[in-house]
Amino acid sequence: MKKYLLPSVKMTAVMLVLCCGIYFGIVTVIGKMSPGGGDGETIKVNGKVVGYEKLGQQFTKDRYFWGRPSAVNYNASGSGGSNKGPSNPDYLALVQERIDSFLVHNPAITKEQIPAELVTASGSGLDPHISPAAALIQVDRVARIRKLDKNKVEDLVNNHIETNPIGPDLVHVLKLNIALDALK
Amino acid sequence: MNKELLGVVLIYGLTILLAILLGRSIARWLRGEKSIWNLMAPLERLVYRICGINPEEEMTWKQHLKALLTINLVWFVYSFVLLISQGSLFLNPDGNPSQTPDLAFNTAISFLVNCNLQHYSGESGLTYLTQIFVIAFLQFVTAATGIAALFVLFRALRDKVTDKLGNFWVFFTQSITRILLPLSLVVAVLLLFNGTPSSWKGKDSIVTLQGDSVSVSRGPAAGMIAIKQLGTNGGGYFGVNSSHPLENPNYFTNAVETVSILLIPIALVFAFGYYLKRPKLSRVIFSVMTLGFLLILSTSIWSELNGNPELEKLGLQQPTGSMEGKEVRFGPAASVLWGIATTATSNGSVNSMHDSHTPLSGAMQILDMMINAFYGGVGVGFLNFFIFLIIAVFISGLMVGRTPEFLGRKIEAREMKIAALIALLHPFIILVGTALSSYILVYYPEANWAVQPAAWLNNPGAHGFSEMLYEYSSAAANNGSGFEGLGDNNIFWNVSTGFVLILGRYLPIIGPLAIAGLLAQKKYIPETAGTLRSDSYTFGIMTFAVIVIIAALAFFPALTLGPLAEYFSIR
């Protein structure tokens, strides 16, 4: 063993320089050239930062489109899923509660219309998206509260659908809500 | 066809294509032929000169193991010291505390064995210093250790009698300079331009559109995510790993990361055949692995796309499948592909919460880790498969009444004993660990630990048992993912999984290398018409049967108590 100790220590030092120092140095420099300068892209409204492009945020007020339930309430200092198993009775009661509450706030729709992601927590707790169906069933509520034309709100949602030929179609909740605030 | 399934097919197909190309290129350089990698030679010579290494010096298998274990010991001491003192060191903009000794023991061991069992959350449990100089460092060097060990095996199986099997330091250095560093750089750049941060600024505070004040954790994540995937380590920068939108911002990055998980393990299978000039042998091995992988994958996809039956009973529609613990931007199909890829390759990164998968999908993930040889981790996956090959050769030899031979060398009692021990070790440490934790949970629920046993499980009933079974399977396979509901940051789990990790890493490296070293010194017997050909598909089926029998016999009862019981109770 002794014969290999000195080369081991030296090799460790060399690899620290190569894999940590030089590699991360290069990545950081290239990061400066990427959108957001490597610090994360932000979204601004009237020059004020209201969120990070990639991170979801909590919407509880009726006048906004809602995102998914989150195990960390969308506080991005941490992250987390519920880690509830599919047969857990407490979990099933919680989902039932979310369904009931959603129906109270959205009287125009029925239980069968709610897509599952609106009453289940995401893996990260920071999911910024919902499916187009999940946005469309909230149109009635949002239009009513804001006293807007329903068709106009529906068009807005349709304009915010990001299609993907090999994956799920998405609606970015924060961007949709910012556009909604701008709607007259 | 459902477009999400199309996505899965495309990602998987692309992976295999790239892996064949990479495997061919690795074989070329190992054979000493001219290749693009020669560009790295000056850098490598510099490394050897600084370290005082003679790259021409060839080692026996025992010398290889001594070098491997010595440098691993150095890394352990270094990492442990940094983790227990990180709170008072530099590069700690968020003011995170040092780790407790038992947590630091677990973390250091975990990453030392190229696993990523994380009993902490990255945002609060590490500093920028330890994220880079401990975690990412180990992600590079331990992956290179696995690849270097596999190269020793490659050398040993050449058709000449020798005890000289190349130089460990050379294999190790080249794995980093020629595979891991260049590929990581490519992946990191792709991630950066899709929104993954490489920030040194610490947390940001913002007021959301609705008016809530929240903080946002950031950090030098992009570089680390690239190597965590390519080196099949899987340790995430953020707590929820690659389901975090900053680690994995969109469908494209998800595809890139999925390819990165599978790329090197599959490439090494092809490299083996090209190197030995037996490409058909590689194709047979690849087919056996792929058959197992696809059976497991399709079961899991079927289960997830059907959704959670309990939610259906509440009257809920699940048009896209089970969504609990998954991200909308990936959808269930791509999440399942990732879940199966990450458990097959002992990677351990996740893009959905495995704890919330439907029972059969969870069962497939656990089974993947129990078998641990369908592709497997970089280097070590193939070493595990090699053990199954040896057993299959031996059993087939007995069936046809011939002395078992593999690639022109006799397999005798000594090699067989080693192979049998290694094959049995894996079920032994998983099942004993799970039994021990179940016993403590039942008889000592009030034990005075940071998390009392009574509070370990996040879910009742069969699913709770699955959480413990998953944890030990993950530790033994050096996988690192978890049913994360488990309350595992306490002395029992930190120490017990720590030992399982060590056993699950080093013995499966030492065993195959010993067999290879012994075989290399035996007389080479040219193949004749009477030889059992290991590159035939008949032999492939035999190997598959051996794997199924060993995994099914050893693990079926445990799977019945956990995920299968849950499946039948909610069907």
Side-chain angles (χ1 to χ4, degrees):
Chain A
M1 285 264 175
K2 229 166 139 190
K3 184 183 160 203
Y4 300 105
L5 192 58
L6 196 60
S8 292
V9 172
K10 285 181 180 169
M11 184 62 92
T12 302
V14 170
M15 287 305 162
L16 276 169
V17 172
L18 199 59
C19 302
C20 300
I22 295 177
Y23 168 72
F24 274 90
I26 296 175
V27 172
T28 305
V29 169
I30 298 177
K32 296 275 176 227
M33 296 177 245
S34 71
D39 294 327
E41 286 168 80
T42 52
I43 296 184
K44 290 181 182 163
V45 174
N46 301 329
K48 192 171 143 281
V49 174
V50 293
Y52 275 75
E53 152 120 31
K54 302 301 174 202
L55 301 175
Q57 40 185 259
Q58 189 149 39
F59 290 102
T60 45
K61 294 180 180 156
D62 281 346
R63 54 198 307 272
Y64 283 119
F65 284 95
W66 299 343
R68 304 181 62 189
S70 158
V72 294
N73 293 322
Y74 285 99
N75 191 342
S77 69
S79 55
S82 72
N83 285 310
K84 295 295 184 196
S87 63
N88 188 329
D90 295 342
Y91 161 67
L92 296 170
L94 182 67
V95 174
Q96 182 66 56
E97 219 173 89
R98 288 177 187 147
I99 295 175
D100 295 342
S101 149
F102 193 85
L103 290 175
V104 168
H105 287 272
N106 298 272
I109 63 155
T110 62
K111 189 160 69 173
E112 288 72 26
Q113 288 174 289
I114 306 176
E117 85 260 17
L118 272 183
V119 290
T120 52
S122 62
S124 61
L126 305 169
D127 195 342
H129 297 109
I130 52 177
S131 66
L136 288 169
I137 59 164
Q138 301 185 50
V139 164
D140 187 80
R141 182 194 79 228
V142 170
R144 187 164 39 84
I145 302 277
R146 291 188 176 241
K147 302 195 172 61
L148 288 168
D149 179 16
K150 219 178 123 181
N151 292 329
K152 228 169 141 184
V153 179
E154 199 170 316
D155 287 344
L156 186 75
V157 172
N158 284 324
N159 289 334
H160 275 81
I161 296 174
E162 304 164 23
T163 54
N164 177 348
I166 52 170
D169 294 340
L170 308 171
V171 172
H172 193 288
V173 182
L174 176 59
K175 286 181 187 165
L176 176 63
N177 280 330
I178 290 172
L180 182 67
D181 272 347
L183 203 65
K184 288 286 168 316
Chain B
M1 189 162 59
N2 175 325
K3 70 173 179 171
E4 288 190 39
L5 289 180
L6 179 67
V8 168
V9 172
L10 288 177
I11 295 172
Y12 186 57
L14 178 69
T15 309
I16 291 172
L17 195 72
L18 291 174
I20 292 174
L21 295 175
L22 179 62
R24 206 185 275 259
S25 144
I26 291 174
R28 205 172 296 143
W29 117 53
L30 278 182
R31 300 170 58 83
E33 291 164 21
K34 241 182 127 92
S35 73
I36 185 167
W37 301 114
N38 290 10
L39 284 175
M40 290 296 185
L43 175 65
E44 288 153 3
R45 279 197 295 273
L46 181 68
V47 172
Y48 306 144
R49 181 142 20 105
I50 296 173
C51 301
I53 289 160
N54 173 12
E56 306 300 326
E57 183 194 341
E58 301 231 358
M59 299 177 170
T60 65
W61 68 271
K62 283 183 184 159
Q63 289 169 326
H64 272 287
L65 282 177
K66 279 181 193 158
L68 186 153
L69 294 174
T70 310
I71 197 167
N72 272 256
L73 192 66
V74 170
W75 294 335
F76 173 73
V77 174
Y78 161 80
S79 307
F80 184 78
V81 169
L82 238 59
L83 288 170
I84 55 170
S85 55
Q86 62 178 13
S88 36
L89 295 174
F90 49 98
L91 280 181
N92 185 9
D94 297 335
N96 290 337
S98 297
Q99 294 198 346
T100 58
D102 59 310
L103 179 59
F105 169 77
N106 189 280
T107 308
I109 294 283
S110 173
F111 283 89
L112 183 68
V113 303
N114 194 30
C115 181
N116 65 316
L117 221 53
Q118 291 164 296
H119 290 176
Y120 58 88
S121 204
E123 295 95 331
S124 54
L126 292 172
T127 65
Y128 287 9
L129 179 76
T130 45
Q131 288 271 25
I132 304 288
F133 285 86
V134 174
I135 303 300
F137 170 70
L138 290 176
Q139 288 173 335
F140 272 104
V141 295
T142 60
T145 303
I147 299 175
L150 182 62
F151 287 168
V152 178
L153 180 88
F154 283 13
R155 272 295 174 94
L157 296 179
R158 282 183 312 178
D159 52 358
K160 63 180 184 194
V161 182
T162 178
D163 62 348
K164 299 291 182 206
L165 303 173
N167 185 298
F168 176 77
W169 307 114
V170 172
F171 289 159
F172 172 79
T173 307
Q174 290 183 338
S175 303
I176 288 184
T177 53
R178 301 184 177 199
I179 308 179
L180 297 171
L181 266 180
L183 288 177
S184 296
L185 207 53
V186 172
V187 172
V189 170
L190 291 175
L191 292 175
L192 280 172
F193 282 87
N194 280 280
T196 302
S198 63
S199 171
W200 299 86
K201 285 189 178 161
K203 281 182 189 159
D204 193 10
S205 299
I206 55 166
V207 177
T208 67
L209 190 62
Q210 187 181 266
D212 305 325
S213 295
V214 296
S215 335
V216 175
S217 286
R218 298 177 293 183
M224 178 165 167
I225 294 157
I227 182 59
K228 87 164 185 196
Q229 304 296 33
L230 287 161
T232 64
N233 174 282
Y237 190 90
F238 299 102
V240 289
N241 209 296
S242 280
S243 61
H244 198 293
L246 290 179
E247 276 208 37
N248 196 356
N250 56 38
Y251 194 89
F252 174 73
T253 58
N254 190 60
V256 170
E257 292 186 34
T258 309
V259 171
S260 311
I261 290 174
L262 292 167
L263 180 64
I264 298 177
I266 299 181
L268 289 172
V269 174
F270 288 107
F272 178 66
Y274 291 126
Y275 176 71
L276 293 181
K277 294 206 167 142
R278 290 171 183 270
K280 195 177 171 210
L281 179 59
S282 272
R283 283 201 293 276
V284 171
I285 294 175
F286 173 74
S287 306
V288 172
M289 291 177 163
T290 302
L291 174 67
F293 184 83
L294 290 182
L295 282 174
I296 287 179
L297 178 67
S298 46
T299 310
S300 188
I301 287 186
W302 174 79
S303 176
E304 285 299 295
L305 291 192
N306 278 336
N308 178 358
E310 290 285 357
L311 292 188
E312 208 172 307
K313 286 178 204 156
L314 298 181
L316 202 61
Q317 303 289 318
Q318 302 174 76
T320 52
S322 169
M323 285 305 292
E324 180 72 33
K326 296 200 183 64
E327 302 285 298
V328 174
R329 63 190 177 283
F330 312 140
S335 300
V336 169
L337 174 63
W338 183 301
I340 296 306
T342 191
T343 45
T345 57
S346 102
N347 184 297
S349 62
V350 297
N351 76 347
S352 64
M353 294 298 112
H354 289 187
D355 214 344
S356 301
H357 273 239
T358 51
L360 277 190
S361 184
M364 291 303 114
Q365 292 161 352
I366 300 176
L367 187 62
D368 243 357
M369 296 184 291
M370 289 168 165
I371 293 167
N372 202 23
F374 292 150
Y375 308 137
V378 287
V380 290
F382 195 92
L383 293 178
N384 285 330
F385 193 88
F386 177 68
I387 293 289
F388 289 125
L389 274 178
I390 295 290
I391 295 175
V393 166
F394 186 75
I395 293 178
S396 325
L398 292 184
M399 285 165 75
V400 296
R402 280 178 192 284
T403 318
E405 283 170 22
F406 182 63
L407 299 182
R409 288 178 172 99
K410 285 199 173 75
I411 309 279
E412 288 165 303
R414 204 160 155 209
E415 292 84 50
M416 248 336 268
K417 278 183 198 156
I418 300 174
L421 271 178
I422 300 299
L424 293 177
L425 169 82
H426 192 58
F428 181 78
I429 52 183
I430 292 175
L431 297 175
V432 168
T434 311
L436 181 69
S437 65
S438 305
Y439 179 83
I440 288 177
L441 181 74
V442 172
Y443 289 99
Y444 301 98
E446 308 293 327
N448 186 24
W449 293 326
V451 184
Q452 285 195 343
W456 279 350
L457 307 181
N458 193 35
N459 292 285
H463 196 89
F465 178 79
S466 303
E467 289 182 337
M468 295 190 287
L469 182 63
Y470 195 110
E471 186 75 3
Y472 281 108
S473 303
S474 176
N478 291 170
N479 182 284
S481 60
F483 272 12
E484 290 298 339
L486 186 70
D488 48 19
N489 184 11
N490 58 77
I491 194 157
F492 174 80
W493 287 99
N494 283 339
V495 172
S496 69
T497 54
F499 283 106
V500 169
L501 285 166
I502 295 175
L503 292 173
R505 167 78 168 182
Y506 294 107
L507 294 181
I509 288 181
I510 295 171
L513 284 201
I515 295 176
L518 293 171
L519 290 183
Q521 294 170 45
K522 291 192 187 187
K523 207 172 87 192
Y524 184 80
I525 313 152
E527 284 169 2
T528 63
T531 311
L532 174 80
R533 294 200 63 102
S534 50
D535 56 0
S536 67
Y537 283 91
T538 319
F539 179 70
I541 293 167
M542 188 68 201
T543 314
F544 189 78
V546 165
I547 295 174
V548 170
I549 290 168
I550 290 179
L553 282 185
F555 292 115
F556 188 71
L559 285 173
T560 315
L561 289 176
L564 294 184
E566 189 185 18
Y567 169 71
F568 285 110
S569 70
I570 66 171
R571 197 156 62 103

